[in-house]
Amino acid sequence: MNPIQAPFPATRLRRVRQNAGVRALVRENELSAGDLIWPVFVRGGDGIVEEIPSMPGVMRRSVDRIVEAAQEAADLGIGAICLFPYTGIEERTEDCAGAWDPDNHTNRAIRAIKAAVPDMVVMTDVALDTYNINGHDGFVVDGEIVNDTTVAALVQMALEQARAGADIIGPSDMMDGRIGAIRAGLEAQGHRNVMILSYAAKYASAFYGPFRDAVGASSALTGDKKTYQMDPANSDEALRLVARDLAEGADMVMVKPGLPYLDICRRVKDTFGAPTFAYQVSGEYSMIKAAAATGMIDEQRVMMESLMAFKRAGCSGILTYFAPAAARLLRG
Ligand code: PBG
């Protein structure tokens, strides 16, 4: 940045803010629908679209309705869709076998979307929590969330998603060594072009509360996730995690949650220059919706301002439940 600047009144920084045309000329960042990844919730059944009580305006959809949503996203120019399964308690087991079932909700949805909307980029979630009886992202043995056997299961889960046609694998579990193991598995099975977007710097956050309702995990979760997700007090550790995941073969990295962690986004982008994403999580979404519902804030303007903040912080793109609403606004 050039520090040379004439003193007032030769420099009046307001000159370039005087009207919309000039403001557009000097604008430093742009947001487009292509920057957005839309997280969607897929459940069993047929013809079902049900609203999630903790996330106003966000739906759980059966596979047939997910295909319609993917078509809608494509029509709006949205960059990608990210699938999360909703599982009832009867679909959860201690051995988490549903996670690598070729016919689980996610894998059926991948095949259906790829058949109907082939150009839609499909991202997945890799973690055991939605199939685990206790809601944890890894196997629990004698009260411990065990790392290495979990990683082996995550590889199976990721490989089934790749077989179903996923474009981007999204490991959200925070186990050590899973990026390298998944990458090796993908290469060994010939999935050379399947990308990994690692949830590299994922914090143990209370902002995930509404999501755990959305996937059916809030009543299931025993204890907390602090032995694998990050301490919100830490920042240097995020850089070590990102460095590690890039070295193991991640193509892209993510910081999560989003808005409260923009400092991490900026540090990651400046340090590594890799494609960096942020996840504007369920709690961030629901806070904006709740405040707007009372009339305290303008929903559309706060939504767009929050999304632009991610671009300003150096993010390539954003996972956000606002994706269709924002894309519609960007269309004008
Ligand atoms: C779990 C997972 C979570 C989210 C995405 N994947 C919740 C958690 O870690 O408990 C949160 C997303 C959100 O809050 O919007 N693998």
Side-chain angles (χ1 to χ4, degrees):
M1 179 143 145
N2 188 351
I4 298 169
Q5 202 161 269
F8 176 83
T11 294
R12 289 181 184 269
L13 289 165
R14 287 184 58 193
R15 283 193 198 106
V16 295
R17 285 181 229 139
Q18 61 184 287
N19 62 46
V22 174
R23 288 195 294 274
L25 284 176
V26 301
R27 187 160 298 134
E28 298 174 35
N29 294 287
E30 292 289 346
L31 176 71
S32 71
D35 298 326
L36 305 175
I37 300 176
W38 183 22
V40 295
F41 298 101
V42 52
R43 51 156 294 155
D46 217 35
I48 300 174
V49 180
E50 60 185 11
E51 184 161 281
I52 297 159
S54 59
M55 300 177 72
V58 176
M59 310 296 168
R60 296 185 192 117
R61 297 171 168 88
S62 52
V63 168
D64 55 321
R65 295 306 177 91
I66 282 283
V67 171
E68 293 173 16
Q71 186 60 60
E72 181 194 345
D75 294 342
L76 288 166
I78 288 171
I81 205 164
C82 181
L83 299 168
F84 290 96
Y86 163 78
T87 46
I89 195 72
E90 71 288 351
E91 296 172 89
R92 293 162 171 270
T93 57
E94 212 164 312
D95 68 4
C96 307
W100 50 90
D101 179 343
D103 290 317
N104 68 22
H105 303 324
T106 297
N107 292 329
R108 283 186 301 116
I110 296 168
R111 277 187 232 106
I113 293 171
K114 281 290 163 186
V117 198
D119 291 338
M120 176 52 61
V121 175
V122 178
M123 174 172 166
T124 61
D125 182 56
V126 173
L128 300 183
D129 57 331
T130 42
Y131 294 98
N132 206 341
I133 193 81
N134 51 54
H136 277 290
D137 291 16
F139 294 122
V140 181
V141 179
D142 297 333
E144 182 189 347
I145 291 96
V146 294
N147 194 89
D148 301 7
T149 46
T150 297
V151 168
L154 297 173
V155 172
Q156 282 194 69
M157 183 178 189
L159 286 176
E160 282 307 332
Q161 295 170 351
R163 252 171 233 138
D167 299 290
I168 303 178
I169 303 294
S172 69
D173 56 284
M174 291 293 281
M175 297 298 123
D176 285 321
R178 90 278 205 215
I179 301 300
I182 292 170
R183 176 57 73 205
L186 290 171
E187 286 288 328
Q189 301 282 317
H191 301 293
R192 292 178 195 85
N193 291 324
V194 172
M195 293 161 272
I196 300 176
L197 201 180
S198 171
Y199 289 60
K202 177 173 178 179
Y203 288 84
S205 173
F207 286 97
Y208 307 149
F211 173 95
R212 290 179 189 165
D213 283 345
V215 296
S218 46
S219 54
L221 184 64
T222 50
D224 59 48
K225 299 192 175 185
K226 290 179 184 171
T227 68
Y228 45 109
Q229 299 180 348
M230 283 180 70
D231 183 342
N234 295 352
S235 169
D236 291 342
E237 187 187 3
L239 300 186
R240 298 181 69 201
L241 285 161
V242 170
R244 192 265 317 261
D245 287 1
L246 289 172
E248 289 184 15
D251 303 285
M252 304 172 268
V253 292
M254 192 199 298
V255 174
K256 179 181 176 194
L259 227 44
Y261 294 84
L262 287 186
D263 57 319
I264 309 299
C265 298
R266 174 48 71 192
R267 281 192 84 187
V268 166
K269 183 65 186 183
D270 286 350
T271 305
F272 300 101
T276 302
F277 290 76
Y279 197 142
Q280 182 178 49
V281 300
S282 56
E284 300 176 68
Y285 171 85
S286 294
M287 279 165 52
I288 293 174
K289 292 298 271 191
T294 67
M296 283 193 267
I297 58 169
D298 179 318
E299 179 173 334
Q300 290 193 339
R301 290 180 54 206
V302 169
M303 167 179 80
M304 298 311 271
E305 184 178 330
S306 69
L307 295 173
M308 183 59 83
F310 292 107
K311 298 297 291 185
R312 196 191 60 239
C315 292
S316 303
I318 309 118
L319 286 94
T320 176
Y321 303 100
F322 284 122
R328 231 169 263 125
L329 264 191
L330 288 165
R331 287 243 139 155

